[in-house]
PDB file of all heavy atoms in Angstrom:
ATOM      1  N   GLY Y 427     130.914 113.420  92.362  1.00 87.00           N
ATOM      2  CA  GLY Y 427     132.202 113.194  91.709  1.00 87.00           C
ATOM      3  C   GLY Y 427     133.057 114.437  91.739  1.00 87.00           C
ATOM      4  O   GLY Y 427     133.260 115.067  92.778  1.00 87.00           O
ATOM      5  N   THR Y 428     133.549 114.841  90.571  1.00 84.00           N
ATOM      6  CA  THR Y 428     134.420 116.021  90.480  1.00 84.00           C
ATOM      7  C   THR Y 428     133.665 117.225  89.937  1.00 84.00           C
ATOM      8  O   THR Y 428     134.293 118.225  89.573  1.00 84.00           O
ATOM      9  CB  THR Y 428     135.616 115.710  89.578  1.00 84.00           C
ATOM     10  OG1 THR Y 428     135.122 115.329  88.273  1.00 84.00           O
ATOM     11  CG2 THR Y 428     136.468 114.598  90.159  1.00 84.00           C
ATOM     12  N   GLY Y 429     132.372 117.149  89.849  1.00 87.00           N
ATOM     13  CA  GLY Y 429     131.599 118.254  89.311  1.00 87.00           C
ATOM     14  C   GLY Y 429     130.164 118.229  89.807  1.00 87.00           C
ATOM     15  O   GLY Y 429     129.856 117.640  90.854  1.00 87.00           O
ATOM     16  N   PHE Y 430     129.309 118.845  89.069  1.00 91.00           N
ATOM     17  CA  PHE Y 430     127.884 118.860  89.425  1.00 91.00           C
ATOM     18  C   PHE Y 430     127.079 118.825  88.133  1.00 91.00           C
ATOM     19  O   PHE Y 430     127.580 119.113  87.038  1.00 91.00           O
ATOM     20  CB  PHE Y 430     127.521 120.080  90.261  1.00 91.00           C
ATOM     21  CG  PHE Y 430     127.952 121.398  89.655  1.00 91.00           C
ATOM     22  CD1 PHE Y 430     127.204 122.009  88.673  1.00 91.00           C
ATOM     23  CD2 PHE Y 430     129.126 122.013  90.074  1.00 91.00           C
ATOM     24  CE1 PHE Y 430     127.595 123.211  88.117  1.00 91.00           C
ATOM     25  CE2 PHE Y 430     129.535 123.213  89.520  1.00 91.00           C
ATOM     26  CZ  PHE Y 430     128.765 123.823  88.538  1.00 91.00           C
ATOM     27  N   ARG Y 431     125.828 118.451  88.277  1.00 93.00           N
ATOM     28  CA  ARG Y 431     124.937 118.373  87.121  1.00 93.00           C
ATOM     29  C   ARG Y 431     123.614 119.032  87.460  1.00 93.00           C
ATOM     30  O   ARG Y 431     123.204 119.080  88.626  1.00 93.00           O
ATOM     31  CB  ARG Y 431     124.706 116.914  86.698  1.00 93.00           C
ATOM     32  CG  ARG Y 431     124.052 116.063  87.758  1.00 93.00           C
ATOM     33  CD  ARG Y 431     124.052 114.583  87.391  1.00 93.00           C
ATOM     34  NE  ARG Y 431     123.393 113.788  88.419  1.00 93.00           N
ATOM     35  CZ  ARG Y 431     122.119 113.469  88.399  1.00 93.00           C
ATOM     36  NH1 ARG Y 431     121.359 113.872  87.390  1.00 93.00           N
ATOM     37  NH2 ARG Y 431     121.564 112.755  89.363  1.00 93.00           N
ATOM     38  N   THR Y 432     122.969 119.509  86.419  1.00 95.00           N
ATOM     39  CA  THR Y 432     121.675 120.172  86.587  1.00 95.00           C
ATOM     40  C   THR Y 432     120.571 119.123  86.643  1.00 95.00           C
ATOM     41  O   THR Y 432     120.417 118.313  85.718  1.00 95.00           O
ATOM     42  CB  THR Y 432     121.412 121.142  85.432  1.00 95.00           C
ATOM     43  OG1 THR Y 432     122.465 122.110  85.367  1.00 95.00           O
ATOM     44  CG2 THR Y 432     120.068 121.855  85.618  1.00 95.00           C
ATOM     45  N   ILE Y 433     119.802 119.137  87.722  1.00 95.00           N
ATOM     46  CA  ILE Y 433     118.692 118.181  87.866  1.00 95.00           C
ATOM     47  C   ILE Y 433     117.345 118.848  87.633  1.00 95.00           C
ATOM     48  O   ILE Y 433     116.311 118.171  87.644  1.00 95.00           O
ATOM     49  CB  ILE Y 433     118.701 117.511  89.260  1.00 95.00           C
ATOM     50  CG1 ILE Y 433     118.530 118.558  90.362  1.00 95.00           C
ATOM     51  CG2 ILE Y 433     119.962 116.702  89.453  1.00 95.00           C
ATOM     52  CD1 ILE Y 433     118.349 117.957  91.736  1.00 95.00           C
ATOM     53  N   GLY Y 434     117.351 120.137  87.424  1.00 95.00           N
ATOM     54  CA  GLY Y 434     116.089 120.823  87.161  1.00 95.00           C
ATOM     55  C   GLY Y 434     116.231 122.325  87.316  1.00 95.00           C
ATOM     56  O   GLY Y 434     117.339 122.861  87.521  1.00 95.00           O
ATOM     57  N   TYR Y 435     115.107 122.986  87.211  1.00 95.00           N
ATOM     58  CA  TYR Y 435     115.063 124.445  87.327  1.00 95.00           C
ATOM     59  C   TYR Y 435     113.859 124.828  88.180  1.00 95.00           C
ATOM     60  O   TYR Y 435     112.929 124.042  88.375  1.00 95.00           O
ATOM     61  CB  TYR Y 435     114.932 125.106  85.944  1.00 95.00           C
ATOM     62  CG  TYR Y 435     115.977 124.685  84.946  1.00 95.00           C
ATOM     63  CD1 TYR Y 435     115.768 123.584  84.112  1.00 95.00           C
ATOM     64  CD2 TYR Y 435     117.173 125.391  84.830  1.00 95.00           C
ATOM     65  CE1 TYR Y 435     116.725 123.209  83.182  1.00 95.00           C
ATOM     66  CE2 TYR Y 435     118.142 125.008  83.911  1.00 95.00           C
ATOM     67  CZ  TYR Y 435     117.907 123.915  83.092  1.00 95.00           C
ATOM     68  OH  TYR Y 435     118.859 123.532  82.182  1.00 95.00           O
ATOM     69  N   TRP Y 436     113.922 126.052  88.673  1.00 95.00           N
ATOM     70  CA  TRP Y 436     112.766 126.632  89.361  1.00 95.00           C
ATOM     71  C   TRP Y 436     112.580 128.053  88.865  1.00 95.00           C
ATOM     72  O   TRP Y 436     113.550 128.806  88.685  1.00 95.00           O
ATOM     73  CB  TRP Y 436     112.967 126.670  90.866  1.00 95.00           C
ATOM     74  CG  TRP Y 436     111.782 127.278  91.585  1.00 95.00           C
ATOM     75  CD1 TRP Y 436     110.702 126.647  92.083  1.00 95.00           C
ATOM     76  CD2 TRP Y 436     111.562 128.691  91.836  1.00 95.00           C
ATOM     77  NE1 TRP Y 436     109.805 127.538  92.642  1.00 95.00           N
ATOM     78  CE2 TRP Y 436     110.305 128.809  92.493  1.00 95.00           C
ATOM     79  CE3 TRP Y 436     112.287 129.836  91.555  1.00 95.00           C
ATOM     80  CZ2 TRP Y 436     109.787 130.029  92.887  1.00 95.00           C
ATOM     81  CZ3 TRP Y 436     111.754 131.070  91.932  1.00 95.00           C
ATOM     82  CH2 TRP Y 436     110.521 131.150  92.599  1.00 95.00           C
TER      83      TRP Y 436
END
Side-chain angles (χ1 to χ4, degrees):
T428 58
F430 52 82
R431 61 190 181 92
T432 302
I433 61 172
Y435 306 90
W436 179 92

